[in-house]
């Protein structure tokens, strides 16, 4: 899900009024952020609003959180002491149903350079409305756990790493995380600088006792080494992609580990895509868009979509699908030429459509039959004498075999100095369908004046439907759209001078 700030615009009465909340009235502190909360199944949980009261100690700052439900009703709030280096927090819901406040912005204005440290996340228990500092663990080379109460500052950490490297010839690196299935996972390896080896994935029980250890890349060097990327896990299995490199030659396989024993339940080669495509299919980074959520797990399959590469060039999209019943791997690829060209005649092999505009990926939508929706926007980067520009949005609808079923172009006026007019999206009808939102600055046919319109686009049962909502100017207000509960949109109207900071839910008419 993504959002973008709209300046000086708000929805008029075409949308039905639902419910409002005054963020300024919820707490006395300075409002420093708000975001939507989603549960571990990507369902909207509610919202969290953060407030700052400033410095409260040598290393602390006083904050307050307010939790709102999907209907904007306040359901919990509490003041707490956070680290002085935290400017604000971003909230998310973990697998336990706890709300984690992760520092989203750093504030080093109140500390000296030698005291710089990374602020710690906070944990809210909604059942008791209590908040505590998140507990972190180090897994040490001697096989023990160490609780971390305060992260080291960067100077201390760098000094310790240099001393360890001089003593051992390598740095021991590890990371620990709690898992939904109970217990903990740790990863470890030795970092020699130019290469790493002695990698392990280790499972521990709730008492931090080792249950099993999966070793790989035991003798890795600069030319021959292995990596393991976990793409999904459940109560039975861990699904991962193993890459083996031998003097520049790469081979990939799906490695499935038994969650109880750590033994390989399957080890099957992954083929049918270029090395670079498979190597990067577990993540999707798209220019000005940033990271895109590029995978979805269903009861019977895991689906990933990434960029399709040929000789380091982005030439289309690729899908990797894992069948959870027999661990078979299916790979498919789409190319701008010839696959896209059948629907977009002006596109070239690198995804450029016309006049220097490229297709920049914006979002991906996964359906239960394996079909995928790909949303892109025509984008022209900033040049030495030119502003960045965007025009049409392009929706690519594939079938279950990852073949293009339809490409729909949403024609849009040219926008300058903005990297995207795409706003955000959400699934509908229990994940079977999708709705996405974008804006456009258009000339009114009656008044001949240019005004902004909001475009609400649904893909239900594979069929497109669009509703256009006029957007009217509101002097000195910033209006920021957020995702709302199903069938709604949330708008935040803000005016710093007038201390106006309200949110409201508006019902959509589709």
């Amino acid at each position: 899900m993504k959002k973008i700030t709209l300046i000086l615009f708000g929805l008029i009465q075409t949308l039905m009024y639902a419910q409002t909340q005054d963020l300024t009235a919820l707490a006395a502190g300075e409002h420093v952020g708000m975001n939507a909360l989603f549960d571990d199944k990507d369902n909207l949980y509610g919202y969290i609003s953060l407030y700052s009261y400033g410095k409260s100690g040598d290393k602390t700052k006083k904050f307050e959180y307010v939790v709102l439900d999907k209907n904007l009703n306040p359901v919990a709030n509490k003041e707490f002491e956070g680290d002085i280096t935290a400017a604000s927090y971003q909230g998310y819901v973990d697998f336990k149903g706890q709300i984690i406040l992760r520092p989203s912005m750093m504030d080093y204005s109140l500390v000296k350079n030698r005291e710089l440290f990374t602020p710690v996340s906070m944990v809210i228990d909604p059942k008791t409305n209590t908040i505590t500092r998140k507990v972190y663990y180090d897994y040490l080379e001697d096989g023990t756990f160490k609780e971390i109460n305060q992260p080291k500052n960067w100077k201390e950490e760098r000094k310790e790493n240099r001393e360890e490297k001089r003593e051992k010839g390598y740095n021991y690196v590890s990371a620990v995380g709690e898992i939904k299935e109970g217990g903990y996972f740790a990863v470890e390896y030795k970092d020699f600088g130019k290469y790493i080896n002695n990698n392990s994935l280790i499972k521990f029980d709730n008492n931090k006792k080792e249950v099993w250890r999966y070793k790989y890349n035991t003798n890795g060097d600069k030319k021959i080494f292995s990596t393991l990327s976990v793409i999904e896990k459940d109560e039975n299995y861990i699904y991962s992609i193993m890459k083996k490199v031998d003097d520049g030659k790469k081979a990939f396989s799906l490695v499935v580990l038994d969650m109880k024993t750590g033994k390989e339940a399957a080890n099957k080669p992954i083929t049918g895509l270029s090395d670079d495509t498979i190597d990067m299919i577990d993540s999707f980074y798209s220019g000005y868009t940033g990271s895109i959520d590029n995978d979805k797990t269903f009861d019977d399959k895991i689906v990933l979509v990434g960029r399709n590469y040929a000789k380091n060039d982005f030439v289309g999209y690729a899908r990797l699908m894992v069948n959870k019943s027999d661990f078979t791997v299916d790979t498919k690829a789409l190319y701008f030429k010839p696959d896209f060209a059948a629907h977009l005649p002006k596109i070239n092999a690198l995804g450029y459509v016309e006049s220097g505009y490229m297709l920049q990926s914006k979002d991906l939508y996964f359906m239960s039959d394996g079909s995928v929706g790909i949303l892109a926007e025509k984008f022209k980067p900033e040049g030495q004498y030119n502003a960045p520009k965007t025009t049409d949005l392009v929706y690519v609808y594939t079938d279950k075999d990852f073949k293009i079923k339809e490409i729909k172009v949403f024609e849009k006026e040219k926008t300058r100095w903005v990297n995207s007019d795409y706003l955000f999206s959400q699934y509908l009808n229990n994940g079977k369908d999708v709705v996405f939102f974008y804006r456009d600055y258009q000339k009114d046919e009656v008044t001949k004046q240019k005004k902004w319109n909001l475009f609400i686009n649904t893909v239900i049962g594979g069929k497109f439907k669009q509703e256009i909502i006029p957007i009217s100017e509101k002097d000195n207000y910033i209006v920021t759209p957020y995702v709302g509960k199903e069938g709604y949109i949330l708008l935040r109207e803000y005016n710093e001078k007038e201390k106006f900071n309200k949110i409201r839910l508006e019902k959509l008419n589709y």
Side-chain angles (χ1 to χ4, degrees):
M1 305 292 180
K2 297 178 175 63
K3 64 182 180 67
I4 188 171
T5 300
L6 300 180
I7 301 178
L8 308 180
F9 306 108
L11 290 183
I12 62 173
Q13 295 177 349
T14 309
L15 292 177
M16 296 174 59
Y17 170 82
Q19 186 172 350
T20 65
Q21 187 60 255
D22 186 349
L23 294 177
T24 304
L26 292 177
E30 176 191 359
H31 187 257
V32 292
M34 186 197 84
N35 70 273
L37 299 170
F38 299 87
D39 63 21
D40 59 354
K41 295 183 179 179
D42 292 330
N43 298 315
L44 184 66
Y45 176 97
Y47 304 89
I48 189 157
S49 188
L50 271 296
Y51 303 82
S52 174
Y53 292 90
K55 184 177 180 179
S56 58
D58 290 340
K59 290 189 176 182
T60 59
K61 188 183 294 181
K62 185 178 177 182
F63 293 91
E64 183 173 357
Y65 67 81
V66 179
V67 180
L68 309 172
D69 65 14
K70 291 185 292 186
N71 298 309
L72 308 188
N73 299 308
V75 294
N77 73 287
K78 198 175 190 67
E79 295 179 0
F80 67 95
E81 300 289 332
D83 288 321
I84 197 170
T85 50
S88 185
Y89 293 86
Q90 190 88 1
Y92 70 92
V93 181
D94 70 3
F95 61 83
K96 292 182 175 180
Q98 301 174 134
I99 300 172
I100 311 299
L101 298 183
R102 181 168 49 201
S104 59
M105 292 187 291
M106 306 301 116
D107 177 14
Y108 297 123
S109 64
L110 300 176
V111 295
K112 298 178 182 179
N113 284 338
R114 66 176 182 270
E115 298 173 338
L116 296 182
F117 62 91
T118 303
V120 172
S121 295
M122 307 296 293
V123 182
I124 301 170
D125 184 344
K127 296 178 181 178
T128 59
N129 192 32
T130 55
I131 183 167
T132 56
R133 291 171 66 84
K134 185 173 175 60
V135 176
Y136 297 87
Y137 294 100
D138 252 350
Y139 180 68
L140 306 180
E141 196 170 4
D142 63 6
T144 61
F145 282 75
K146 179 183 178 182
E147 186 173 321
I148 304 171
N149 296 313
Q150 181 66 56
K152 302 183 183 77
N153 67 45
W154 65 275
K155 286 186 177 180
E156 291 174 337
E157 190 166 356
R158 188 173 64 174
K159 181 182 178 182
E160 289 184 7
N161 287 341
R162 284 201 302 260
E163 292 174 350
E164 183 185 37
K165 187 73 175 291
R166 283 197 297 266
E167 179 185 347
K168 300 178 180 178
Y170 63 86
N171 286 125
Y172 175 78
V173 181
S174 67
V176 179
E178 195 172 1
I179 58 175
K180 182 178 181 179
E181 294 73 27
Y184 302 82
F185 266 137
V187 294
E188 66 171 6
Y189 59 87
K190 294 179 180 179
D191 183 356
F192 290 85
K194 294 184 178 180
Y195 63 92
I196 66 173
N197 62 27
N198 284 282
N199 297 65
S200 292
L201 175 64
I202 316 163
K203 186 185 178 184
F204 302 87
D205 62 18
N206 290 319
N207 298 315
K208 305 180 186 66
K209 181 179 179 182
E210 183 174 322
V211 178
W212 53 256
R213 177 182 297 251
Y214 181 77
K215 296 182 179 182
Y216 61 98
N217 192 40
T218 53
N219 298 305
D221 57 32
K222 289 185 287 185
K223 290 188 175 182
I224 302 175
F225 60 89
S226 302
T227 65
L228 188 73
S229 299
V230 175
I231 58 174
E232 184 57 285
K233 63 179 178 60
D234 55 33
E235 60 183 8
N236 297 314
Y237 299 105
I238 303 164
Y239 303 83
S240 58
I241 296 176
M242 174 76 79
K243 176 177 71 173
K244 293 186 177 182
V245 180
D246 189 343
D247 200 16
K249 295 181 179 179
K250 301 176 183 178
F252 299 87
S253 60
L254 174 74
V255 174
V256 182
L257 302 179
D258 187 291
M259 180 65 82
K260 295 179 181 178
T261 66
K263 297 185 181 299
E264 290 188 3
N267 190 328
K268 298 189 176 184
I270 301 174
T271 58
L273 301 172
S274 70
D275 287 351
D276 287 341
T277 302
I278 303 174
D279 204 0
M280 292 184 274
I281 201 155
D282 61 333
S283 63
F284 198 122
Y285 186 84
S286 179
Y288 289 93
T289 305
S291 294
I292 296 175
D293 188 2
N294 73 318
D295 67 282
K296 191 172 178 65
T297 299
F298 300 91
D299 291 340
D300 61 339
K301 65 175 75 71
I302 304 165
V303 184
L304 295 91
V305 170
R307 290 169 172 257
N308 184 19
Y309 289 95
K311 297 181 180 179
N312 298 319
D313 290 325
F314 173 35
V315 296
Y317 298 88
R319 186 192 72 179
L320 187 151
M321 189 161 64
V322 178
N323 188 317
K324 294 173 73 173
S325 63
D326 59 9
F327 310 130
T328 54
V329 181
D330 177 75
T331 57
K332 295 285 191 300
L334 288 174
Y335 292 83
F336 294 128
K337 273 199 166 185
D339 300 309
F340 279 63
H343 304 266
L344 301 172
K346 293 183 180 180
I347 198 168
N348 72 8
L350 300 180
Y352 285 84
V353 282
E354 70 266 338
S355 304
Y357 284 82
M358 67 177 74
L359 284 188
Q360 182 163 266
S361 308
K362 290 296 168 185
D363 223 332
L364 299 167
Y365 312 109
F366 298 86
M367 307 306 164
S368 59
D369 64 352
S371 61
V372 178
I374 303 169
L375 184 65
E377 189 170 17
K378 294 179 182 179
F379 172 73
K380 190 172 185 177
E382 180 179 358
Q384 186 175 359
Y385 303 106
N386 300 308
K389 307 176 187 71
T390 64
T391 58
D392 309 337
L393 270 84
V394 177
Y395 190 96
V396 183
Y397 188 72
T398 70
D399 63 16
K400 62 183 180 62
D401 297 314
F402 204 56
K403 293 180 180 179
I404 295 178
K405 186 176 181 181
E406 181 180 0
I407 291 183
K408 190 168 183 63
V409 177
F410 298 90
E411 294 185 355
K412 186 169 60 63
E413 295 294 324
K414 184 185 300 181
T415 304
R416 291 178 173 86
W417 295 112
V418 175
N419 294 325
S420 180
D421 283 326
Y422 170 62
L423 300 176
F424 53 82
S425 63
Q426 67 185 124
Y427 286 103
L428 302 173
N429 304 321
N430 296 318
K432 296 178 181 178
D433 305 303
V434 71
V435 56
F436 62 91
F437 303 80
Y438 69 89
R439 66 172 190 166
D440 192 17
Y441 195 48
Q442 297 180 323
K443 182 180 289 188
D444 187 280
E445 293 182 0
V446 178
T447 65
K448 305 302 180 182
Q449 293 180 339
K450 277 200 165 187
K451 292 185 178 181
W452 286 91
N453 288 326
L454 176 72
F455 287 73
I456 304 164
N457 311 277
T458 55
V459 186
I460 299 177
K463 296 182 180 180
F464 290 93
K465 183 180 179 182
Q466 184 181 81
E467 183 180 5
I468 304 172
I469 304 297
I471 299 175
S472 62
E473 183 173 327
K474 301 195 73 174
D475 292 336
N476 301 319
Y477 282 82
I478 295 175
V479 178
T480 304
Y482 290 78
V483 64
K485 62 183 180 179
E486 188 169 320
Y488 288 77
I489 187 171
L490 177 73
L491 298 175
R492 176 189 170 202
E493 295 179 315
Y494 175 69
N495 183 308
E496 183 177 8
K497 185 176 181 180
E498 298 180 16
K499 299 191 179 301
F500 188 91
N501 193 359
K502 291 187 177 181
I503 54 177
R504 71 177 189 270
L505 283 170
E506 302 281 2
K507 186 171 176 59
L508 304 174
N509 301 315
Y510 62 79

